[in-house]
Amino acid sequence: TLNQPVCVDSSIESITFTIGGGASNAAVIGNPQGIQLTRTAGTDNFTIHGKPEVNIVTPTTYTMTITTIGNQEGCQEETITAILNVSPDDGIQLAAGSGPLNQTLCVSTGIDTITFDLTGGSNTANVSGLPQGIETTLNVASRTFSLSGILTEIVTQTTEYNYTVTTSGSCVPAILNGKITVAPNATVTVTSVSTTLDQTICDNTAVDAITFQAAGSYTDISFQISPSLVGFTPVFDTNTGVGSISGSPNIGIVSSTTYSYTVAIIGDA
């Protein structure tokens, strides 16, 4: 027990000794705050005990010197040495320039790399709850731990992944939580019969309605037609994702004209 590791604010394994010869007392120097020397009343027995109550950010060694005192004959006092290797509790924090803890992205896109500084007694970390495709990297030299990668998790609806980063060291671990929200890519499916996509009609005649269903992370649609065609109009319900294009174009053309149109889904991530 003369050489022992201990965490901040944790009790050391008591060091006991007995004085003898001409010694009448004992003293200790080099002990960290919270560690004290106590004599058992009416005896020559002493105990070094307590908890290191120090504010340290890296493991620190305290060399304690215990010396007998009070030799009435003026003889040489005896000295012993004890060592306490005190480690701080783990620490973790978001590194400067890191991506945010909470991110929202679409499937198959890369996250902004999230980097953590490992502080205190931390020497590594692990993480749970990540979506597929996200990997971890530990840099021992810089004491950093990073999350990066491209989301490969397949989702059909917006899904939240709550993750937890836990440090590992010699003392109490530190924890940080974050969230990665994965949104499915926006899609569109034609729900009317396929023949409605391409139609030949007469001027001032109703088209067969073209209907479609949006899914995934849509927020709206964009509609383009060339050349411009008055009376051929899209309708889209952003709540249900149901849309349609219908109408009775009346433009007074004098020759057959082909109009090309495009419906595109706008996503939210």
Side-chain angles (χ1 to χ4, degrees):
T1 58
L2 288 178
N3 189 340
Q4 56 180 289
V6 65
C7 293
V8 168
D9 294 324
S10 296
S11 296
I12 69 169
E13 192 174 340
S14 296
I15 303 170
T16 59
F17 60 91
T18 302
I19 62 173
S24 62
N25 209 340
V28 61
I29 60 173
N31 51 308
Q33 183 177 340
I35 301 300
Q36 53 190 333
L37 174 66
T38 302
R39 184 173 191 168
T40 303
T43 73
D44 291 329
N45 300 323
F46 290 78
T47 303
I48 297 176
H49 60 95
K51 301 176 180 179
E53 299 171 352
V54 291
N55 184 17
I56 57 175
V57 295
T58 58
T60 303
T61 298
Y62 294 88
T63 300
M64 302 183 296
T65 302
I66 303 105
T67 306
T68 62
I69 57 177
N71 192 303
Q72 299 300 316
E73 304 301 326
C75 298
Q76 183 175 346
E77 304 288 1
E78 186 174 2
T79 298
I80 59 174
T81 299
I83 295 175
L84 293 180
N85 296 300
V86 183
S87 295
D89 289 335
D90 290 2
I92 187 172
Q93 62 188 24
L94 204 61
S98 167
L101 282 172
N102 302 326
Q103 301 184 28
T104 299
L105 307 105
C106 288
V107 172
S108 301
T109 58
I111 68 168
D112 291 335
T113 298
I114 306 169
T115 303
F116 304 93
D117 288 328
L118 302 178
T119 61
S122 305
N123 51 45
T124 187
N126 60 73
V127 61
S128 62
L130 289 175
Q132 292 182 20
I134 305 305
E135 301 177 344
T136 64
T137 303
L138 173 68
N139 188 317
V140 176
S142 63
R143 296 186 70 196
T144 56
F145 182 75
S146 300
L147 309 179
S148 61
I150 296 174
L151 295 165
T152 59
E153 190 80 40
I154 302 302
V155 295
T156 56
Q157 60 185 6
T158 299
T159 305
E160 295 179 349
Y161 293 86
N162 295 296
Y163 64 90
T164 299
V165 181
T166 305
T167 63
S168 179
S170 55
C171 296
V172 178
I175 295 174
L176 270 183
N177 296 308
K179 179 170 65 178
I180 294 177
T181 303
V182 182
N185 291 324
T187 61
V188 61
T189 303
V190 177
T191 53
S192 55
V193 295
S194 61
T195 54
T196 59
L197 289 176
D198 300 322
Q199 300 181 40
T200 299
I201 63 171
C202 294
D203 194 17
N204 200 26
T205 302
V207 302
D208 292 333
I210 304 161
T211 58
F212 56 90
Q213 174 71 60
S217 57
Y218 69 85
T219 57
D220 207 343
I221 64 168
S222 66
F223 177 75
Q224 295 179 326
I225 187 167
S226 180
S228 177
L229 180 60
V230 177
F232 187 60
T233 308
V235 175
F236 183 67
D237 186 335
T238 57
N239 293 317
T240 64
V242 174
S244 65
I245 310 172
S246 60
S248 301
N250 181 11
I251 53 175
I253 57 174
V254 295
S255 62
S256 296
T257 305
T258 298
Y259 298 85
S260 298
Y261 64 92
T262 301
V263 176
I265 301 299
I266 300 173
D268 66 354

